Amino acid sequence: MSATARLSRGAAGGEDAPPFSANRLLAALRPDALETLSPYLILVDLPQDEVLFDAGDDVEHTYLPCGPTQASLLVVTSDGQEIEAASIGHEGAIGGMVSAGFKPAYGRAVVRVPGYAFCVPTARLEEVKNRSPVVADLFDRYADVFIAQMMQVAACNALHPIEQRACRWLLFAHDRSGDEPIRLTQETLAQMLGVQRTTISAVARSLQDSGLIHIGRGRVEVLDRPGLEKRACECHDAVEAHFRRVLPKVAD
């Protein structure tokens, strides 16, 4: 069942249901600004590998991930290969920069780490932006950060060795998962970074042998964050520094 089809269930309930503050864009809004958007937000449960939209699709819904939930924006080649252009977690929105009307997506959005997300019809989000300059400014600033991330990832993929690139991705994922293990397979990481599974396996073994991570079945646990940062390239820190400048309230 697609994420859009699950919207008919209504908001997810129970003690495990996260508050609006579980997404840092929503948490950064003043109460009056949040009040203009909250009536349209529906909590959905996104399974791993769910395709939220594909290249050429009209992006009808915008998703705001909560907690460790994470999605990848992928470029898909003519022969079906995928490579990650950006990663979106609780700091942002998936589809939030798309305006109402038929403006097709350029890439594919896929859930990598499952969990909750708030979902809002993109047309409704645009209406709220038009009524609330505060909401519009927040999403405009996030769009700037999102583009910066894509630019940095493009440079990283072209210039840096695979171990540094893998460490960069693990740092991004660890930012969003906190102390919880990252729910990720080596096959998925290999697909996102555009390399063979055997290449990622060798990198993962090296990082594990160095005591930086522990690899489980479909899970990666970060054991030594400072050590992982030393093995990574500068790309993670560059994006985070820009994020803090442009969206300081979200970065808190």
Side-chain angles (χ1 to χ4, degrees), residues 13-243:
E15 295 181 357
D16 292 335
F20 292 135
S21 59
N23 176 273
R24 289 163 72 182
L25 281 180
L26 297 178
L29 288 172
R30 297 196 311 258
D32 59 329
L34 180 60
E35 189 174 351
T36 65
L37 184 59
S38 60
Y40 308 113
L41 295 171
I42 297 175
L43 190 63
V44 294
D45 196 3
L46 301 179
Q48 194 167 24
D49 298 326
E50 177 88 356
V51 177
L52 301 179
F53 54 79
D54 216 332
D57 287 351
D58 188 12
V59 182
E60 297 179 348
H61 294 90
T62 295
Y63 300 87
L64 295 105
C66 301
T69 309
Q70 187 172 332
S72 292
L73 188 63
L74 306 172
V75 175
V76 185
T77 64
S78 58
D79 60 358
Q81 294 187 71
E82 301 174 340
I83 189 165
E84 186 180 76
S87 178
I88 306 103
H90 64 203
E91 79 293 340
I94 307 160
M97 283 71 70
V98 180
S99 297
F102 187 78
K103 293 190 177 181
Y106 186 77
R108 175 180 297 162
V110 179
V111 177
R112 292 305 186 192
V113 179
Y116 286 124
F118 287 104
C119 179
V120 56
T122 303
R124 292 293 189 187
L125 177 59
E126 291 301 313
E127 291 174 7
V128 173
K129 287 181 188 178
N130 290 333
R131 297 201 309 267
S132 173
V134 173
V135 175
D137 179 68
L138 181 70
F139 277 84
D140 286 346
R141 287 172 179 269
Y142 175 67
D144 178 279
V145 173
F146 185 75
I147 292 170
Q149 183 191 161
M150 289 195 294
M151 293 172 65
Q152 194 70 47
V153 168
C156 186
N157 288 341
L159 299 174
H160 297 146
I162 186 58
E163 180 180 282
Q164 289 186 331
R165 291 165 54 200
C167 290
R168 181 256 301 168
W169 196 96
L170 289 172
L171 289 171
F172 274 124
H174 188 244
D175 289 340
R176 293 149 182 165
S177 65
D179 294 331
E180 295 295 318
I182 302 164
R183 298 174 65 177
L184 177 76
T185 66
Q186 293 182 42
E187 180 67 29
T188 297
L189 184 57
Q191 291 174 354
M192 288 190 294
L193 296 178
V195 297
Q196 297 294 321
R197 162 68 185 274
T198 52
T199 302
I200 286 297
S201 295
V203 170
R205 283 196 303 271
S206 175
L207 296 176
Q208 181 166 262
D209 290 345
S210 299
L212 303 180
I213 65 173
H214 174 72
I215 306 165
R217 187 173 181 84
R219 292 172 181 263
V220 177
E221 183 179 1
V222 175
L223 302 177
D224 182 355
R225 169 83 185 211
L228 195 64
E229 291 172 343
K230 290 180 180 178
R231 295 278 280 270
C233 52
E234 71 271 17
C235 295
H236 171 266
D237 287 348
V239 172
E240 287 299 302
H242 186 66
F243 192 98

